Amino acid sequence: MKLVIAIVQDDDALDLIEELNDKGFRVTKLATTGGFLKSGNTTLMIGVEKEKVTDVVKVVEDVCKMRKEIIPTPTTMSNGTGMYMPYPMEVEVGGATIFVLDVDQFIKV
Ligand code: 2BA
């Protein structure tokens, strides 16, 4: 048994859960926050048999899109006043960040 942890963008989350459920995978959704952008994202936990991991990854890959986000970064003004001006920086986010963990025991009571 494996636990697939997929961090995805909020905009892709509902489509992805629907697609995974349609293909027979069980999913738990967590509302999470990215440490860098400090904005919301979604973490999905999907418990599957070892042989199904590549199927899960394929679904995530098909649904989750790469997007560009513009974030303001504080930059010192060059005239020596010590003032900070927001300077826009572009970062690419997604499609998805995926961790695959071994599960020692799966117990359903
Ligand atoms: P965030 O930490 O908010 O990062 C959002 C995007 O900002 C990242 O997209 C990446 O393009 C950029 N970024 C992150 N840290 C950076 C840094 N130190 N310098 C420059 N750019 C940086 P993704 O790589 O697609 O990651 C999306 C989200 O997945 C992340 O949101 C974080 O919540 C999670 N994540 C990514 N890698 C992770 C890891 N190794 N461990 C835990 N969570 C991770």
Side-chain angles (χ1 to χ4, degrees):
M1 186 93 184
K2 298 276 187 181
L3 179 64
V4 180
I5 298 178
I7 304 167
V8 305
Q9 294 174 73
D10 289 346
D11 288 344
D12 293 325
L14 293 181
D15 287 346
L16 178 57
I17 291 168
E18 197 175 313
E19 196 63 27
L20 287 166
N21 282 335
D22 283 354
K23 296 209 155 50
F25 299 114
R26 297 182 181 202
V27 183
T28 295
K29 173 182 180 288
L30 305 170
T32 46
T33 305
F36 187 69
L37 296 181
K38 295 176 181 58
S39 62
N41 54 25
T42 297
T43 299
L44 301 181
M45 297 197 300
I46 308 138
V48 283
E49 297 309 316
K50 197 171 140 193
E51 312 77 59
K52 298 275 178 67
V53 169
T54 47
D55 296 344
V56 170
V57 172
K58 176 81 172 65
V59 176
V60 176
E61 205 178 347
D62 287 348
V63 174
C64 294
K65 301 172 185 73
M66 172 86 78
R67 293 188 183 85
K68 289 184 175 166
E69 301 266 338
I70 307 287
I71 55 163
T73 55
T75 305
T76 321
M77 284 176 78
S78 55
N79 60 8
T81 59
M83 288 174 69
Y84 285 89
M85 266 190 57
Y87 177 80
M89 185 177 107
E90 191 176 81
V91 290
E92 289 192 337
V93 190
T97 300
I98 302 172
F99 300 91
V100 181
L101 279 63
D102 286 322
V103 175
D104 283 342
Q105 278 188 308
F106 171 69
I107 302 168
K108 173 85 173 76
V109 290

